[in-house]
Amino acid sequence: MKLLLQWLYPGLNIKRWMLLFSFGLMLLAFGAALVMNYQVFGRIEEEILRLLFVLTGTYSYTFLAAAGIFFVFIGLFFMLWAIRRLVKRFFSLVAPDQESVSRHIVSKWELSRGLKVVAIGGGHGLSMLLRGLKTKTSNISAIVTVADDGGSSGRLREEMNIVAPGDLRNCLVALADKETVLEQLFQYRFGGEGELAGHSLGNLFLAALMKEFGNVQNALETASTVLNIRGQVMPATAQKIRLCAKMSDGSTIEGESEIAAYVEKKGGKVKIIHVDTVPSAPIAVGDALEAIRNADLITLGPGSLYTSVLPDLLVPEILTAIKESSAPCMYICNVMTQPGETLGYTVSDHLKALVDHVGKGVIDYVLVNNGVPKKDVLKRYEKVQAHPVEIDRKKIQRMGIILIEEDLLGVEKGAVHDTDTLCNEIIRISGLLKTNIAPEVLSGYLGRAK
């Protein structure tokens, strides 16, 4: 009752329209009574009949019904007019910028009808991709690796016995509806030399939620609500896994951070031959499998080949779901080679590493950049022996994987994918894949041979 009385305060310009609605309702009821001849308003109806007798010389209820219909229409008109003005007034009080609200509603509706994308990977590459995809669709499912054991994530997973939260945090922030202060706080990293030094606030928040709710899925659902994200973020597995790499010199290195450090220590003279997880064959998260089954497109990468992309594919149920899915699977190759992992690799070398781990027939397309970074950018990367990934077209063709080339660097011409350019290309590709164009013709459209 108190809440209702608040709407009757002076200055809100609501009471007049409520009174008009009431007046219209009365006219509607009066008209209906005349039409039905219920004699609810006996004296009034008698006077109307007497007036009709004076005018027409007969007591005909046809005229009474006609008068009733007239009052019904007048009453409905006043009621609809009052409702329209009330709704408009409520919106102006609750959301003064109605044009912005309308645009937001239309935008959310359009995004909800967008492409169903499952993005698999981890690290900065995946979060970059998600930041662009959220402007194209809200049907995004990010399946994230939890094998990170370095930095803040590594410390928290060991101290609190949880999965690594770092990549999950980055993906949540990337999918957040707007860049807010809360998102900036999620990325805030403590300095100094105390126990909090090096930890990000987002990692601590996720770690607390995991402990509070007892599992990572519920923790992510709560964090997603807080950040109001578009889409969903989920780990490939809820188990605490570690990466194990077999090296070209015969040694076996365990731990994601240790693998890259070992290669760098050897001066790049050793390479990663094969990676696996400890424990092997971890159990997949059910929501991840469901997302893959319902996907329109599955993307792998961009990101570190051995420590971001492959760990998700080492979950057997994830790999099986991709194989059984009707959605095409596309690998997005990195722009540059990565010291410690893919030094000297060509596009076909990246693909061979994937095929060696997951088998043939999983990857349908590979999207590569054929743009050239600026010279000053290349010089900075040359200092760490990183170079643009070479496109060896004939080898790729022999692997039976369709090559899609495009300049993905944008106007800045940096050494990483331009978010908008990459996502526009993904939407273009998905649109072509939905057509009924013959495969040999479609291949030409997709490949855009340069």
Side-chain angles (χ1 to χ4, degrees), residues 51 116 129-130 212 223 239 251 342 358:
L51 177 61
K116 294 179 182 178
L129 174 65
L130 297 178
E212 178 67 23
Q239 291 181 249
S251 59
T342 58
V358 305

Side-chain angles (χ1 to χ4, degrees), residues 360-374:
K360 295 181 178 180
V362 177
I363 301 170
D364 303 300
Y365 306 91
V366 57
L367 176 59
V368 301
N369 165 67
N370 60 12
V372 181
K374 292 180 179 178

Side-chain angles (χ1 to χ4, degrees), residues 27-48:
L27 289 177
L28 176 65
F30 178 61
L34 292 179
V35 172
M36 301 299 179
N37 194 21
Y38 282 159
Q39 298 296 319
V40 177
F41 307 97
R43 183 64 180 173
I44 298 175
E45 290 169 289
E46 288 177 7
E47 292 298 327
I48 293 175

